[in-house]
Amino acid sequence: MTVFEEMGRRDHEQLVFCHDEATGLKAIIAIHNTTLGPALGGCRMWQYEKEEDALRDVLRLSRGMTYKSAAAGLNLGGGKAVIIGDSKSMKSEALFRSYGRFVQSLAGRYITAEDVGTSVRDMEWVRNETDHVTGISRALGGSGDPSPFTALGVVMGMKAALKWQTGSESLSGKKVAVQGVGHVGFHLVKHLVEGGAQVTVCDIDQDNLKKVTGAFNGIEVVAPDDIYGVDCDVFAPNALGAVVNDDTIPQFKCSIVAGSANNVLAVEEIHAPALKERGILYAPDYVINAGGLINVANELEGYNQDRATNQVSSIYDICTDIFRIAENEGITSQKAANTLAERRIQAMGRIKHTYTGVQLKKRQKTMP
Ligand code: NAD
């Protein structure tokens, strides 16, 4: 493998290797595509076994961000960063500030945020060295915890799927099986209960289960392995990836899969068609779980909760567009989501060919 071969495989624009002996920083920043705007994506800290693993991960994840932002209607491109190291033992203010200086050196082509292994506190260190960081705490004027917004986006996508399939978006009386009641799952259950749905949950964490059953009445609890076979309208995965697979699909009694978990389909090319064949409508994961990203992107314009809430609600219309493309073109909803994102990037790339004569003041505006 050569670096340029790997970049060429998914058409990446730029890779930046960052090294600082004094702080132990070893990081890679990948910028996949900036047609729509600066590349936004979190910074993951992980003890990769091999440098190659870190490189593959950052290339894969940054491309995913291009699609996620494009489908969400954001004027942002796709990027991601990885810091190679143990997030439990290697973190320090100096390491994150050193990382922040590399981010700053990219002059806004890449905007960083927290991700697996990094926290809001780490990003506050980063913020000392760069303007190009988002996902800061509310106390510092940022957007705070993204989970309630992710949950809102999931509910909007779920309603769009119900409307598409049944003609009514109402949650009243609908049976929803929720896998995982952590940060997103808890807020999702709240929306579902308020909407009059009958909710069944599972979790491996007893404390999280107690929290949700203590907060809301009428919640049924099943064992983690039994959640796939629950007789329901919607299966909402909010825990792990790859839970739609050869073992689980035959157990499904739902007619919709819609949840926040990333990479829900074990193998996209196999399990998206498998759901379609069984008449199960799939709300693509990176579209329906974009509420947190939309919220964080809002911070770039000066955070406003009402505006963020409105923009997250547009996930309903985006999902409807995707279901329409899938039906019209006879493709899976997953493929339709990719198509929607690619068409938007192509279309916006084309309009930039026209010379306007004036350099617009840089803004991170999102579509209405
Ligand atoms: P979380 O860690 O707070 O919650 C996950 C929950 O799933 C935990 O309660 C955990 O105990 C439970 N769980 C783990 N394994 C399980 C199993 N086998 N069966 C049942 N429950 C299990 O995470 P979160 O922030 O709520 O995120 C949930 C999912 O959504 C993750 O996949 C995450 O990547 C994705 N996501 C989250 C956000 C966000 O804003 N937090 C945004 C986009 C995507």
Side-chain angles (χ1 to χ4, degrees):
M1 168 191 88
T2 72
V3 169
F4 283 109
E5 261 171 32
E6 282 296 308
M7 288 177 78
R9 209 188 297 267
R10 299 185 191 86
D11 209 11
H12 279 78
E13 287 179 16
Q14 190 178 11
L15 260 184
V16 184
F17 291 83
C18 316
H19 178 242
D20 178 27
E21 191 71 40
T23 60
L25 177 74
K26 282 186 193 161
I28 312 174
I29 299 170
I31 296 176
H32 176 251
N33 187 298
T34 56
T35 305
L36 297 177
L40 173 67
C43 170
R44 182 164 289 197
M45 186 164 187
W46 197 255
Q47 186 77 68
Y48 292 97
E49 265 187 35
K50 290 183 279 177
E51 284 172 10
E52 268 177 46
D53 297 343
L55 180 60
R56 287 218 173 83
D57 214 22
V58 79
L59 290 171
R60 178 179 67 83
L61 294 166
S62 55
R63 180 175 180 273
M65 289 307 297
T66 297
Y67 280 78
K68 189 166 180 163
S69 282
L74 297 169
N75 287 330
L76 292 166
K80 202 87 183 181
V82 293
I83 295 178
I84 301 171
D86 182 357
S87 62
K88 293 205 168 64
S89 60
M90 276 186 59
K91 283 189 181 182
S92 69
E93 179 185 354
L95 181 131
F96 280 101
R97 289 184 69 159
S98 176
Y99 167 70
R101 294 178 73 81
F102 282 103
V103 172
Q104 182 68 5
S105 75
L106 291 169
R109 272 178 60 70
Y110 169 64
I111 301 166
T112 198
E114 70 169 301
D115 198 76
V116 176
T118 59
S119 66
V120 169
R121 188 188 68 156
D122 303 332
M123 291 307 124
E124 285 166 6
W125 282 331
V126 169
R127 185 170 171 258
N128 284 299
E129 304 295 338
T130 182
D131 308 319
H132 311 298
V133 55
T134 186
I136 301 295
S137 67
R138 281 278 169 95
L140 292 177
S143 55
D145 179 11
S147 307
F149 293 88
T150 304
L152 173 64
V154 171
V155 170
M156 298 313 289
M158 205 181 271
K159 285 185 174 180
L162 283 166
K163 172 84 177 168
W164 187 260
Q165 210 172 48
T166 69
S168 164
E169 65 176 49
S170 171
L171 291 167
S172 182
K174 292 288 181 306
K175 294 182 188 156
V176 184
V178 178
Q179 180 184 48
V181 285
H183 288 100
V184 179
F186 180 88
H187 293 286
L188 176 61
V189 171
K190 181 170 184 285
H191 285 293
L192 295 172
V193 170
E194 283 169 2
Q198 291 174 37
V199 183
T200 304
V201 302
C202 80
D203 203 297
I204 53 168
D205 184 320
Q206 295 308 312
D207 290 339
N208 283 351
L209 273 180
K210 269 190 212 143
K211 196 175 154 204
V212 82
T213 51
F216 311 108
N217 291 328
I219 308 284
E220 196 185 330
V221 178
V222 295
D225 286 347
D226 294 341
I227 197 78
Y228 306 110
V230 170
D231 193 354
C232 60
D233 299 288
V234 185
F235 169 59
N238 303 283
L240 314 160
V243 294
V244 174
N245 57 45
D246 291 345
D247 291 336
T248 58
I249 292 176
Q251 299 177 50
F252 283 156
K253 295 198 181 80
C254 58
S255 54
I256 290 167
V257 173
S260 70
N262 284 309
N263 305 316
V264 165
L265 304 172
V267 183
E268 203 175 298
E269 297 74 18
I270 297 174
H271 300 112
L275 288 178
K276 187 169 182 275
E277 274 160 31
R278 292 173 80 97
I280 299 174
L281 185 58
Y282 173 61
D285 49 7
Y286 72 82
V287 176
I288 194 171
N289 75 15
L293 171 71
I294 295 171
N295 187 51
V296 130
N298 237 269
E299 209 176 296
L300 302 170
E301 289 180 71
Y303 187 64
N304 176 310
Q305 188 172 339
D306 290 342
R307 186 180 59 208
T309 304
N310 275 335
Q311 286 173 352
V312 172
S313 300
S314 71
I315 288 177
Y316 184 106
D317 293 332
I318 296 166
C319 284
T320 305
D321 288 345
I322 287 167
F323 300 146
R324 189 174 297 113
I325 292 173
E327 186 174 276
N328 290 348
E329 303 186 19
I331 56 179
T332 64
S333 53
Q334 178 73 25
K335 194 134 195 271
N338 297 346
T339 302
L340 180 108
E342 284 162 6
R343 284 182 188 158
R344 180 161 178 253
I345 293 168
Q346 277 162 16
M348 294 309 120
R350 273 198 297 272
I351 67 160
K352 288 183 182 171
H353 290 181
T354 310
Y355 180 65
T356 60
V358 186
Q359 187 69 36
L360 277 182
K361 192 166 170 283
K362 209 167 106 206
R363 284 188 306 177
Q364 303 303 325
K365 278 203 78 182
T366 48
M367 284 177 32

